[in-house]
Amino acid sequence: MATYYYKYYYQTVRNGRTYRLNILQRDTQPDALRKIKNLVDLRFGTAGNVDIDEPIVKTELSFVLVDCPDVAYDATEKGANWQEFYTQDSTLYKVQLLENGVVRWTGYITPDSWSEELRYHGTVTIKARDCIGHLQDFDFEWDDETITLYQVITKCNSLCSINIVVGNKMNEYG
């Protein structure tokens, strides 16, 4: 099992609630936790067309950072050179969004989640994805047949003697 260590964070207070963005890196313990400077936008939402009847809804957290390499930062801050997040490893960086100290969402920075403005003090937009929601984009093999994620969940539920809610549908077994 992979171990993730805290690498960067950003914290703000909005409408009396404290929100914190944590970025953790797998298997590499940093020298010190560093505060993200120049974060200008943080958005949480759904990805793609949302159908409430789907078993799983994809979610994304996007954040926009201004790249300011000409500004001096101390060892506890990060405000430039965001290229490290441009990675082919889809689980290298784990992202958490906390609300009043409670983890509300977790995802990963994936290889296709990077965009950058190529200008002086341009912005870098990074998306973290929940990964579980994106599993419904793939087919799975089950007993020599190809099935969807919804069918995997339904088959797994049939092996249990509990009630599990999938999307807005209740599967009753047991």
Side-chain angles (χ1 to χ4, degrees):
M1 184 169 167
T3 302
Y4 285 85
Y5 297 95
Y6 290 94
K7 187 162 185 161
Y8 303 113
Y9 77 97
Y10 176 81
Q11 188 165 305
T12 187
V13 176
R14 297 279 189 253
N15 298 325
R17 295 174 186 241
T18 301
Y19 293 95
R20 182 177 171 115
L21 172 72
N22 288 326
I23 299 176
L24 300 86
Q25 185 174 358
R26 184 186 68 231
D27 300 331
T28 304
Q29 191 165 7
D31 296 330
L33 179 63
R34 297 172 71 188
K35 181 178 181 178
I36 295 173
K37 303 295 277 185
N38 309 325
L39 188 138
V40 294
D41 193 21
L42 179 67
R43 293 175 190 245
F44 176 75
T46 57
N49 296 329
V50 178
D51 180 358
I52 61 170
D53 290 326
E54 288 295 318
I56 295 177
V57 175
K58 300 177 197 177
T59 58
E60 296 179 333
L61 179 74
S62 66
F63 48 102
V64 179
L65 309 161
V66 177
D67 197 25
C68 296
D70 56 333
V71 177
Y73 300 101
D74 64 30
T76 65
E77 301 174 320
K78 173 133 175 109
N81 302 320
W82 304 108
Q83 293 83 358
E84 70 184 280
F85 297 127
Y86 187 64
T87 175
Q88 294 302 311
D89 188 337
S90 61
T91 60
L92 180 61
Y93 292 103
K94 182 186 237 182
V95 177
Q96 297 175 329
L97 179 63
L98 288 76
E99 180 182 5
N100 291 333
V102 176
V103 176
R104 302 292 291 176
W105 185 87
T106 300
Y108 297 89
I109 297 174
T110 56
D112 61 343
S113 64
W114 167 275
S115 64
E116 178 179 18
E117 286 182 338
L118 298 176
R119 65 178 179 84
Y120 181 70
H121 285 193
T123 60
V124 174
T125 301
I126 300 170
K127 288 184 183 176
R129 295 190 168 92
D130 63 1
C131 290
I132 188 70
H134 292 271
L135 284 177
Q136 70 184 15
D137 294 337
F138 303 99
D139 291 327
F140 298 87
E141 296 296 322
W142 186 297
D143 294 331
D144 297 327
E145 69 174 306
T146 302
I147 60 176
T148 66
L149 180 62
Y150 182 77
Q151 291 167 319
V152 168
I153 293 170
T154 301
K155 285 179 180 276
C156 290
N157 285 347
S158 69
L159 300 174
C160 301
S161 61
I162 57 174
N163 295 334
I164 298 178
V165 175
V166 180
N168 65 347
K169 302 172 184 172
M170 173 76 81
N171 293 325
E172 297 183 29
Y173 298 98

